[in-house]
C-alpha cells in the first residue's frame, strides 16, 4: 500500500515551508530515513527524511512551491501502485520525463519554414521550461534559438539544434551585450519571505524614526577592560552592552516592549524577549534572547553569539526566532552613521546601532573636547507610542550606556 510523506512541521510557530530542491526523483528506490528533499522556512534550511520505504511513486509539489505543514508532499510504495488518493487537493502528478517534447504537427495549408532558415526568436520569445533548463545547463542563450513550437515557442529540440549549429550569424552582436548588461536572479525562499515582511511592515504600521547619540567613552573603556580580563569576558562587545542597556530600560516603557494586536489593541509584556538581527549567507534572520532582562552581560554576550552561529549555519530552530518583544539591529561594523530600521511586526519598536565616531564639544571651561560618540536610531509605531515617550525611552538607554558601570552595579 502506497504511503504519503508529509511536509514536516519545523517548529510550533511554522505554518508552511518552501521546497528547496528534490534529492530523489520519481522512480528512485527509497529507504526509511533517506533524504527526499530540502525545505526551508523563513528561518532555516532542513532535510526531509522518508517515513516510508519502496519506490518514489509521485511528487505532488515542485521546487519553489510553498507547502502547508503536514500536507502530503509525495508518495512512496511498490512500483506501479496507485497513489492518486494521496494527492492533496489541487495538486497534479509530476510530469513523466520524455526524451523529446512533442509538438502538434503544423497544418498542411500553412507550412512552417525549415528550422535551419528560421530567424532567432529574440529575448521576448516564449521558452518552454525544459528548453530553458537545457539552455542554462549548456551555457547557451535560448533566445538565440529559432522557435518551432506552437506560436513560435522555443522548445527542447530548438535548443539542441542551437547547441549543434552554434549561434546564428546575426545574433551574436545583439546577444552578447544583452547577456553582459544584466542577470535575472530569482529570490530564494527566505528572500521572498523577507521581501513580503518588509512591505507588510511599512504598509501596515505608522513608522517614525528618531536619531540619537551618546558619549561612548565609558563603554569603550569597559570593553578594553573586559578584553584584558580574558575568558568569557573578552568576548563582550559594544553591541552586547547596548543589548544589556536596552533590556534594562524596556520594562520602564511598557508601550515599547509590546505588540500591536490590531489597530486598537496593544499587548504589553512583563519580560523582555530581545530580537537580535543577524546577517547570514541566506539573508537577515532575527534570533531571540528570551528573558534578556534577567540575564547578565556575559550571559547575553555568549547567547547572542551562539544564536548567531546557529542562524548562519542554517541549523537554528524556528522556535528560537519567534516571540521577540523588541528588536536591535547593529550596522555599526559597516560604518553606518545613522539609518532607519524597519519594524518587525507586531513589535512596536526597533533600535538601530550605528558606528562610533569622534565628535567635538565645548566643555564647561570653554575648551574643545574630542569624544567618541555612538549613534542609535529608534523606529517606533506611532499608533502605539508618541514622540515624547519614545524619546524618553531612548534618553534612558543613552544615559545607561554613558553610566554603564553604575548600571552593572544595579
Amino acid at each position: 500500500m502506497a504511503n504519503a510523506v508529509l511536509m514536516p512541521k519545523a517548529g510550533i510557530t511554522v505554518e508552511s515551508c518552501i521546497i528547496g530542491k528534490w534529492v530523489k526523483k520519481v522512480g528512485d528506490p527509497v529507504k526509511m530515513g533517506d533524504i527526499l528533499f530540502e525545505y526551508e522556512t523563513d528561518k532555516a534550511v532542513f532535510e526531509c527524511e522518508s517515513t516510508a520505504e519502496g519506490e518514489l511513486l509521485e511528487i505532488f509539489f515542485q521546487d519553489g512551491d510553498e507547502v502547508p505543514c503536514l500536507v502530503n508532499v509525495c508518495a512512496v510504495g511498490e512500483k506501479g501502485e496507485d497513489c492518486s488518493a494521496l494527492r492533496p487537493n489541487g495538486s497534479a502528478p509530476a510530469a513523466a520525463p520524455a526524451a523529446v517534447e512533442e509538438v502538434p504537427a503544423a497544418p498542411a495549408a500553412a507550412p512552417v519554414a525549415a528550422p535551419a532558415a528560421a530567424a532567432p526568436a529574440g529575448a521576448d520569445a516564449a521558452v518552454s521550461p525544459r528548453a530553458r533548463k537545457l539552455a542554462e545547463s549548456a551555457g547557451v542563450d535560448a533566445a538565440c534559438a529559432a522557435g518551432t513550437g506552437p506560436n513560435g515557442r522555443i522548445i527542447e529540440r530548438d535548443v539542441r539544434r542551437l547547441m549543434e549549429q552554434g549561434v546564428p550569424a546575426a545574433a551574436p552582436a545583439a546577444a552578447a551585450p544583452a547577456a553582459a548588461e544584466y542577470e535575472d536572479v530569482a529570490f530564494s525562499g527566505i528572500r521572498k519571505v523577507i521581501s513580503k515582511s518588509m512591505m507588510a511592515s511599512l504598509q501596515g504600521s505608522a513608522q517614525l524614526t528618531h536619531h540619537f547619540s551618546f558619549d561612548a567613552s565609558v563603554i569603550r573603556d569597559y570593553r578594553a577592560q573586559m578584553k584584558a580580563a580574558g575568558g568569557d569576558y573578552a568576548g563582550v562587545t559594544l553591541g552586547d552592552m547596548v543589548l544589556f542597556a536596552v533590556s534594562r530600560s524596556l520594562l520602564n516603557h511598557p508601550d515599547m516592549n509590546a505588540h500591536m494586536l490590531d489597530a486598537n489593541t496593544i499587548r504589553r509584556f512583563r519580560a523582555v524577549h530581545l530580537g537580535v538581527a543577524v546577517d547570514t549567507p541566506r539573508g537577515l534572520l532575527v534570533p531571540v534572547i528570551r528573558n534578556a532582562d534577567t540575564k547578565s552581560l556575559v550571559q547575553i554576550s555568549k547567547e547572542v553569539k551562539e544564536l548567531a552561529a546557529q542562524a548562519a549555519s542554517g541549523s537554528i530552530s524556528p522556535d528560537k526566532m519567534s516571540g521577540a518583544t523588541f528588536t536591535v539591529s547593529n550596522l555599526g561594523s559597516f560604518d553606518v552613521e545613522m539609518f532607519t530600521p524597519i519594524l518587525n511586526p507586531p513589535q512596536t519598536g526597533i533600535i538601530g546601532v550605528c558606528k562610533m565616531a569622534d565628535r567635538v564639544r565645548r566643555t564647561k571651561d570653554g575648551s574643545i573636547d574630542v569624544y567618541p560618540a555612538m549613534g542609535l536610531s529608534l523606529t517606533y509605531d506611532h499608533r502605539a507610542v508618541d514622540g515624547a515617550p519614545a524619546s524618553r525611552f531612548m534618553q534612558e538607554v543613552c544615559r545607561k550606556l554613558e553610566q554603564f558601570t553604575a548600571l552593572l552595579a544595579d
Side-chain angles (χ1 to χ4, degrees):
M1 182 178 184
N3 296 288
V5 176
L6 308 181
M7 174 60 77
K9 189 169 178 63
I12 59 176
T13 61
V14 178
E15 299 298 330
S16 64
C17 303
I18 296 172
I19 294 179
K21 67 176 181 179
W22 281 90
V23 176
K24 296 283 189 179
K25 61 180 183 295
V26 173
D28 283 353
V30 175
K31 293 182 180 179
M32 194 81 71
D34 281 357
I35 303 302
L36 295 175
F37 60 91
E38 294 179 356
Y39 65 98
E40 55 186 84
T41 67
D42 58 336
K43 318 294 185 185
V45 176
F46 304 91
E47 294 177 332
C48 178
E49 297 182 356
S50 179
T51 54
E53 195 160 312
E55 181 180 295
L56 182 54
L57 300 174
E58 195 170 305
I59 291 174
F60 303 137
F61 297 95
Q62 303 301 321
D63 296 359
D65 287 347
E66 185 170 358
V67 184
C69 295
L70 307 181
V71 166
N72 296 351
V73 180
C74 63
V76 175
E78 296 299 321
K79 184 178 182 65
E81 274 191 282
D82 179 21
C83 54
S84 57
L86 300 177
R87 294 174 192 156
N89 292 336
S91 70
V100 180
E101 288 188 51
E102 295 186 3
V103 183
V112 178
D124 296 329
V127 182
S128 75
R130 291 186 60 190
R132 180 176 288 106
K133 185 174 182 180
L134 175 61
E136 290 174 352
S137 64
V140 299
D141 185 357
C144 293
T148 62
N151 300 315
R153 190 182 194 210
I154 297 171
I155 58 177
E156 185 178 7
R157 72 183 182 197
D158 301 326
V159 174
R160 292 192 182 281
R161 184 176 294 108
L162 178 68
M163 292 163 59
E164 294 171 0
Q165 299 177 352
V167 179
E181 286 176 4
Y182 61 84
E183 176 187 11
D184 295 333
V185 180
F187 276 178
S188 65
I190 192 170
R191 191 74 248 166
K192 292 177 184 176
V193 173
I194 293 172
S195 173
K196 183 178 179 180
S197 298
M198 294 298 99
M199 285 299 297
S201 174
L202 290 171
Q203 293 172 351
S205 57
Q207 301 192 27
L208 184 64
T209 302
H210 292 181
H211 302 287
F212 297 79
S213 68
F214 65 93
D215 184 342
S217 299
V218 172
I219 63 171
R220 181 198 58 186
D221 295 344
Y222 189 72
R223 163 75 182 111
Q225 295 173 27
M226 297 291 274
K227 189 173 181 179
D232 290 337
Y233 301 113
V236 174
T237 67
L238 298 177
D240 298 334
M241 297 181 204
V242 173
L243 295 175
F244 186 80
V246 170
S247 73
R248 266 52 183 185
S249 303
L250 277 169
L251 293 184
N252 297 328
H253 307 269
D255 287 342
M256 297 301 310
N257 191 52
H259 285 178
M260 283 289 295
L261 300 185
D262 54 45
N264 302 300
T265 309
I266 188 172
R267 174 175 291 168
R268 295 170 169 174
F269 291 89
R270 296 188 176 94
V272 176
H273 305 312
L274 205 54
V276 183
V278 174
D279 178 37
T280 77
R282 298 175 55 244
L284 177 67
L285 299 179
V286 188
V288 180
I289 303 173
R290 302 195 64 82
N291 300 302
D293 56 303
T294 67
K295 295 179 177 176
S296 70
L297 174 61
V298 171
Q299 285 177 315
I300 287 176
S301 177
K302 291 175 65 176
E303 186 169 342
V304 80
K305 290 171 181 59
E306 292 169 359
L307 291 170
Q310 293 173 24
S313 68
S315 63
I316 191 167
S317 166
D319 294 337
K320 292 183 178 181
M321 303 182 66
S322 62
T325 58
F326 191 90
T327 295
V328 175
S329 178
N330 192 337
L331 293 179
S333 62
F334 297 98
D335 292 331
V336 174
E337 295 188 1
M338 66 172 59
F339 67 106
T340 304
I342 297 177
L343 286 175
N344 191 5
Q347 297 167 33
T348 59
I350 179 173
I351 283 178
V353 182
C354 307
K355 68 175 290 187
M356 185 186 295
D358 286 342
R359 288 187 182 176
V360 297
R361 62 188 171 190
R362 190 176 296 279
T363 63
K364 292 181 179 179
D365 63 5
S367 61
I368 298 298
D369 177 38
V370 179
Y371 72 101
M374 180 178 284
L376 298 176
S377 299
L378 170 72
T379 296
Y380 60 95
D381 192 333
H382 213 323
R383 296 176 301 169
V385 187
D386 290 333
S391 297
R392 282 193 286 270
F393 163 64
M394 286 303 295
Q395 285 178 325
E396 179 173 342
V397 172
C398 291
R399 185 170 61 253
K400 280 179 163 55
L401 287 164
E402 289 182 335
Q403 303 169 0
F404 196 73
T405 49
L407 172 62
L408 292 173
D410 289 339

